Amino acid sequence: CVWSGTLQHGLYGFHLRRESMDANEYLTNDEAAVVLRRPASTLAYWRHMGEGPPYAKVGKRVLYRRIDIEEWLARQFEQ
């Protein structure tokens, strides 16, 4: 399934609204954390340790490409 980049606040916290999007869409750290179902701080820790999905820094902002997250996650199941 593919998720939009729009964070919605719901009964159980923030989640991404379902919607068809481009696989090359860019996600913020918070949006990527929702997709991976990990705290945003975990992604920051992975970056510090040189682990996790590929990312780019644009100024002070960290961005992930959806396709990179999906490919990285698939590799985790192969190990």
Side-chain angles (χ1 to χ4, degrees):
C1 68
V2 178
W3 300 88
S4 79
T6 305
L7 280 175
Q8 302 281 316
H9 190 272
L11 182 62
Y12 300 105
F14 287 97
H15 63 280
L16 286 172
R17 185 170 43 95
R18 248 183 122 143
E19 185 178 295
S20 124
M21 292 296 281
D22 181 12
N24 286 320
E25 115 184 68
Y26 295 104
L27 303 175
T28 65
N29 188 69
D30 289 341
E31 293 166 341
V34 171
V35 171
L36 291 169
R37 297 182 181 181
R38 306 299 312 152
S41 60
T42 297
L43 275 69
Y45 178 73
W46 287 345
R47 288 193 307 274
H48 170 73
M49 298 300 293
E51 301 173 1
Y55 67 93
K57 284 199 81 171
V58 180
K60 293 183 179 182
R61 176 177 257 185
V62 173
L63 295 176
Y64 294 89
R65 287 189 311 174
R66 177 174 299 284
I67 190 72
D68 291 337
I69 292 173
E70 292 173 358
E71 289 173 355
W72 177 82
L73 191 56
R75 285 193 303 274
Q76 303 314 298
F77 285 98
E78 296 170 358
Q79 297 179 358

